[in-house]
Amino acid sequence: MLQIADRYLFVEVLKAFLAIVFILLMIVSSMLFLRTLEEVNIGALNVDLVLRFLGLQIVRDTSSLLPPAFFLAVLATLSRMARDSELIALGACGIGPGRLYRALFVLAVPVALFTAWFALILQPWAAAGIQEIRLQQSEQVAQIAGLQAGRFYVEEEGDVVAYIGSIDRRKALEHVFILDRRGDKERIVVSDSGTHRSDEGSSDHIITLKGGHRFDGTPGGGDYLIGDFDEYQVRVRSSARQPVQPSKRSMAATVDLIGSAELGDRTEVQHRLSAPLAILTLVAIAVPLVAISPRQKTTGRMLLAFLAYFSFFNLQRLAESWMEAGTTPAWLGSLWYQALILGLVYLLLFPDSLWFRRLRRGLSARRGPSAEAV
C-alpha cells in the first residue's frame, strides 16, 4: 500500500512538472524568438543562425525555469489531492507528512541533478556559444552591424540620410547616396562604390566613398557647387541596438571557477549551484503550505506560498549582488536566503503544525490534574 501511494504521488507530480515545464518553455521561447527576430530585422543576426541562436538561449535559461516549475507542480498536485480528500485518506492509512516528503524527494533529487547538469555545464557552454555567434556576426560582411542594403537610414534627427544599393561579400558598397545637412551647407554625395567599417569605440558606421560626385548648397542658389572627388568619408551613427554582452564569468567552465579566490568567481559558482539546491528547498517549503483537509482555509497558505515564491527568487539576486559587492561577509556566501525562507515559512506555520498541537495537548493534560487537585 505504501509503495503504491508513493508511486502514485511520484507520477502525479511528474506529470504536472512536465506540463508546467512545457508551458514555461513555450512562453520563454516565444519571447526569445521575438527578440531574435528583432535582431535579424536590425541586421545584427544572420537569418541562417536564428534556430541555433534561439536554441542556445533556451539551453542557457532552462536551469532557471526548472525550480519554479517543480515548486508549482508540487503545490498543484498536493492542493488537488487535498481538495479531493486524498491526503486525508492517505493519513488514515498511516501515510503522513514524512511519507510525503520521502516520495517527493525521490523525484526531487533526480530533478535537482538534471538541473545541476544544465546550470553547471550546459549554461556556460550556451553562453559561450551565444557570444561566439555575436562575434561572428560582427565580422560578417553582408550584415554590417545593422547596416543593410536597399534601406534608407535617417540618423541624427534627420540631418543625415543614407542609402546603400547593395553590399557584396568583400565589404564593398555599391550605389551609395548620402544627404548630409550638418554644417552650414546641405550636401549630397553619390558614388557607385565604397567601403565600410565600424568604429570600435562608438560602433558608428564609417563609410568611405570612391570616385563620386558631390553637390554642396541649395539648388538654384548662387553658392551651389558641383564637384567630383576621388575619396570621401562620412560617419553615420549606428541605430542598431547593441546587445548586452555576457560577462566572461558566465561563459567560464565551472571547473575553472571552483577554487578561485576572486569574489566574483565564487559568486558565479554559487549562482549556478542555487538552481539545483532550490529544487530541494522549495519541496521542503511546499508540503507545509498545503492544507491537508479541504475544510481548512487555504487563502492564508496560498498567500504565504505566493510571498515565499517571489521572496525566494528576489532574495537570490539581492544575496548575490551583496556577496559580489562585499556587503555580506565572504564566508556567508549567497545561498543563505534559501535557509532564511525555509525557516520563516516553518516558523509562520508552526502554530498550525501537528507537533504544536501535540505539545499544546500535552501541556493541557498536565495542567488538568493539578487544577483538579487544587
Side-chain angles (χ1 to χ4, degrees), residues 311-328:
S311 299
F312 189 91
F313 295 102
N314 287 329
L315 277 177
Q316 176 184 357
R317 302 186 186 94
L318 188 63
E320 291 172 358
S321 63
W322 281 353
M323 178 180 177
E324 190 169 7
T327 305
T328 54

Side-chain angles (χ1 to χ4, degrees), residues 9 13 71-87 286-287 289-294 298 301-302 305:
L9 181 59
V13 174
F71 178 65
L72 294 176
V74 173
L75 275 181
T77 302
L78 293 181
S79 298
R80 195 270 306 165
M81 294 177 66
R83 185 176 61 252
D84 296 340
S85 300
E86 293 182 6
L87 292 182
V287 174
L289 288 174
V290 177
I292 296 178
S293 174
T298 60
R301 290 174 180 263
M302 289 298 101

Side-chain angles (χ1 to χ4, degrees), residues 180-210:
D180 191 349
R181 296 191 178 97
R182 296 174 296 185
D184 299 333
K185 293 183 180 180
E186 184 176 287
R187 181 174 303 156
I188 296 177
V189 182
V190 293
S191 176
D192 291 333
S193 63
T195 59
H196 167 276
R197 68 179 178 87
S198 295
D199 183 74
E200 296 182 357
S202 62
S203 298
D204 291 348
H205 306 292
I206 309 297
I207 300 175
T208 303
L209 305 180
K210 306 289 185 179

Side-chain angles (χ1 to χ4, degrees), residues 345-361:
V345 170
Y346 275 85
L347 181 63
L348 292 174
L349 294 177
F350 181 72
D352 196 33
S353 63
L354 178 62
W355 297 277
F356 183 79
R357 290 197 297 267
R358 289 177 178 175
L359 178 62
R360 187 171 55 185
R361 285 197 298 266

Side-chain angles (χ1 to χ4, degrees), residues 143-316:
Q143 303 287 343
I144 309 178
L147 203 60
Q148 298 184 26
R151 291 180 57 180
F152 280 94
Y153 290 87
V154 181
E155 302 295 339
E156 302 190 26
E157 299 180 355
D159 289 340
V160 179
V161 179
Y163 174 84
I164 299 175
S166 63
I167 306 174
D168 65 16
R169 295 190 174 276
R170 293 173 300 173
K171 284 191 175 182
L173 313 179
E174 297 180 356
H175 309 299
V176 182
F177 167 87
I178 296 176
L179 171 61
D180 191 349
R181 296 191 178 97
R182 296 174 296 185
D184 299 333
K185 293 183 180 180
E186 184 176 287
R187 181 174 303 156
I188 296 177
V189 182
V190 293
S191 176
D192 291 333
S193 63
T195 59
H196 167 276
R197 68 179 178 87
S198 295
D199 183 74
E200 296 182 357
S202 62
S203 298
D204 291 348
H205 306 292
I206 309 297
I207 300 175
T208 303
L209 305 180
K210 306 289 185 179
H213 308 285
R214 173 175 167 178
F215 307 88
D216 292 357
T218 303
D223 58 348
Y224 191 69
L225 300 176
I226 301 176
D228 300 332
F229 60 84
D230 294 329
E231 183 175 296
Y232 182 84
Q233 189 177 90
V234 64
R235 176 186 292 264
V236 180
R237 291 182 182 177
S238 174
S239 61
R241 177 179 58 86
Q242 298 298 321
V244 177
Q245 301 295 337
S247 63
K248 292 183 179 180
R249 288 192 180 96
S250 64
M251 298 181 292
T254 304
V255 293
D256 297 334
L257 298 177
I258 295 177
S260 174
E262 293 188 16
L263 199 57
D265 294 342
R266 295 172 60 184
T267 304
E268 178 66 24
V269 172
Q270 295 191 26
H271 168 73
R272 298 178 187 180
L273 290 174
S274 63
L277 291 178
I279 296 287
L280 306 178
T281 304
L282 290 174
V283 169
I285 293 175
V287 174
L289 288 174
V290 177
I292 296 178
S293 174
R295 296 181 180 181
Q296 293 179 330
K297 295 181 180 180
T298 60
T299 304
R301 290 174 180 263
M302 289 298 101
L303 178 61
L304 182 58
F306 179 82
L307 293 176
Y309 173 83
F310 283 97
S311 299
F312 189 91
F313 295 102
N314 287 329
L315 277 177
Q316 176 184 357

